[in-house]
């Protein structure tokens, strides 16, 4: 050690760094390569997916009644009909029926078992139950995001698998728990519900959705720029914007999936008022977390493990003193 100088130490440390640094760099490159391979595998799996097969023959068209008969129109009229392959026009009314429907995301596990329900035009149908009971699955089947295993789903008497998917989904308005806003003005975000809408129609939709008041208080009003999925707005305000979008779309059938579960009580009142206006005269399917939002439903289906265990109106289910009554009392202790 007597001959080991400071220069020798510096040389050794420099040599050690020169030896280790390439090894460290190679290991880091291997990490990046493995991550890239994993990502590429998912990309190629997506590219290899076969396009959805759409055997539907019925399509949604704009119509106008003339001399007591429906006639197809190229422009928007606010009235719709299903056009059969033979050219027959069937008025869109919003009559949706499930008949002994079985469904499972995988063959090993069935999610829905022999589900039967009907929604007459203009009725409000609500689904309640624990997470995983199958509530959202039913709405996904109405959209035909999945095909059922057994049974049938009829829309105005037409099996949904005979309706073109684009037409089927164009007839449905959807308000979800998770709001989806994009970078752009508030007006553009509402206009996404109907791209040919005028500014007057957008403002009218916002007023109907109880969104106009807070929009007017924004720095540039309807021209205020939103970014980051509307991060500058509260959760309730974002929800009101999406409801205004659904109002503007003016679809005959609505699906509302726990639209008030992430907001405070005061905002819930505003959202509920907006949703009641939106649902007026339309067939509506409501997945409910807060039972206060569905007390006026025409029919409430209580679900457990893919089965409908109870159904009826709010008062009928409370009188049964069963599953729904226990759920309701747990949320509204001492209230009617």
């Amino acid at each position: 050690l007597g001959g080991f100088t400071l220069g020798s130490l510096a040389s050794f440390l420099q040599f050690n760094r020169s030896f280790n640094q390439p090894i460290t760099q190679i290991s880091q490159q291997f990490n990046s390569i493995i991550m890239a391979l994993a990502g590429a595998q998912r990309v190629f799996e997506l590219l290899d997916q076969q396009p959805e097969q759409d055997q539907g023959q019925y399509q949604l068209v704009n119509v106008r009644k003339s001399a007591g008969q429906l006639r197809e129109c190229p422009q928007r009229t606010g009235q719709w009909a299903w056009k059969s392959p033979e050219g027959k026009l069937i008025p869109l009314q919003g009559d949706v029926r499930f008949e002994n429907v079985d469904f499972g995301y995988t063959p090993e596990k069935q999610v829905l078992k022999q589900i039967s329900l009907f929604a007459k035009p203009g009725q409000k149908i609500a689904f309640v139950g624990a997470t995983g009971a199958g509530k959202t699955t039913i709405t996904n089947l109405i959209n035909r995001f999945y095909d059922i295993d057994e049974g049938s789903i009829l829309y105005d008497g037409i099996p949904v698998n005979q309706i073109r998917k684009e037409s089927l989904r164009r007839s449905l308005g959807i308000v979800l728990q998770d709001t989806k806003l994009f970078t752009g003005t508030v007006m553009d975000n509402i206009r996404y519900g109907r791209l040919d809408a005028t500014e007057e129609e957008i403002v009218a939709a916002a007023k109907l959705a109880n969104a106009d008041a807070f929009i007017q208080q924004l720095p540039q009003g309807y021209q205020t720029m939103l970014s980051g999925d509307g991060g500058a707005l509260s959760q309730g305000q974002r929800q009101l914007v999406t409801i205004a979008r659904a109002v503007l779309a003016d679809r005959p059938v609505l699906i509302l999936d726990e639209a008030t579960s992430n907001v405070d009580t005061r905002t819930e009142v505003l959202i509920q008022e907006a949703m009641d206006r939106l649902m007026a005269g339309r067939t509506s399917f409501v997945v409910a977390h807060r039972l206060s939002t569905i007390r006026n439903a025409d029919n409430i289906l209580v679900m457990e493990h893919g089965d409908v265990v109870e159904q009826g109106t709010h008062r009928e289910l409370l009188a049964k003193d069963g599953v729904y009554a226990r759920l309701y009392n747990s949320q509204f202790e001492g209230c009617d």
Side-chain angles (χ1 to χ4, degrees), residues 97-103 112-116 141 148-153:
R97 297 173 184 268
F98 280 56
E99 297 181 351
N100 301 316
V101 170
D102 289 342
F103 172 75
L112 300 178
K113 307 161 192 172
Q114 293 291 296
I115 296 296
S116 294
L141 295 180
I148 59 178
D149 299 328
E150 297 290 343
S152 62
I153 302 175

Side-chain angles (χ1 to χ4, degrees), residues 182-258:
F182 57 85
T183 299
T185 65
V186 174
M187 181 165 286
D188 288 340
N189 270 277
I190 298 176
R191 182 179 276 122
Y192 189 68
R194 180 157 57 88
L195 298 180
D196 61 351
T198 64
E199 291 189 6
E200 291 75 15
E201 289 173 324
I202 292 171
V203 173
K207 289 180 178 178
L208 195 67
N210 279 344
D212 180 71
F214 87 81
I215 294 174
Q216 296 286 7
Q217 295 176 2
L218 296 175
Q220 283 82 43
Y222 283 85
Q223 300 306 320
T224 301
M225 287 294 296
L226 301 179
S227 60
D229 201 18
L233 303 179
S234 69
Q235 176 65 32
Q237 290 172 335
R238 292 198 294 268
Q239 195 65 273
L240 290 173
V241 171
T242 60
I243 293 175
R245 184 188 290 170
V247 170
L248 189 66
D250 193 26
R251 304 290 166 76
V253 177
L254 293 171
I255 295 173
L256 300 102
D257 193 345
E258 300 196 17

Side-chain angles (χ1 to χ4, degrees), residues 318-329:
L318 284 182
K320 289 181 179 179
D321 196 25
V323 178
Y324 179 83
R326 290 196 297 272
L327 286 172
Y328 182 83
N329 291 331

Side-chain angles (χ1 to χ4, degrees), residues 112-185:
L112 300 178
K113 307 161 192 172
Q114 293 291 296
I115 296 296
S116 294
L117 64 92
F118 65 89
K120 295 180 181 178
Q123 282 192 328
K124 178 179 178 180
I125 308 299
F127 304 99
V128 302
T131 301
K135 307 184 297 295
T136 299
T137 298
I138 290 180
T139 62
N140 287 339
L141 295 180
I142 297 171
N143 279 290
R144 207 185 161 202
F145 292 150
Y146 304 93
D147 285 321
I148 59 178
D149 299 328
E150 297 290 343
S152 62
I153 302 175
L154 303 176
Y155 193 160
D156 288 331
I158 306 168
V160 291
N161 60 2
Q162 294 183 20
I163 301 174
R164 293 184 184 178
K165 290 181 179 178
E166 181 272 335
S167 289
L168 173 65
R169 293 163 188 170
R170 190 154 53 91
S171 73
L172 303 169
I174 303 177
V175 179
L176 302 176
Q177 175 182 351
D178 298 322
T179 57
K180 300 298 179 185
L181 303 180
F182 57 85
T183 299
T185 65

Side-chain angles (χ1 to χ4, degrees), residues 268-289:
E268 180 187 356
V269 173
L270 292 176
I271 293 176
Q272 188 58 42
E273 288 177 356
M275 293 199 312
D276 286 341
R277 294 183 193 133
L278 176 61
M279 290 185 287
R282 294 178 170 88
T283 305
S284 306
F285 296 91
V286 183
V287 177
H289 174 71

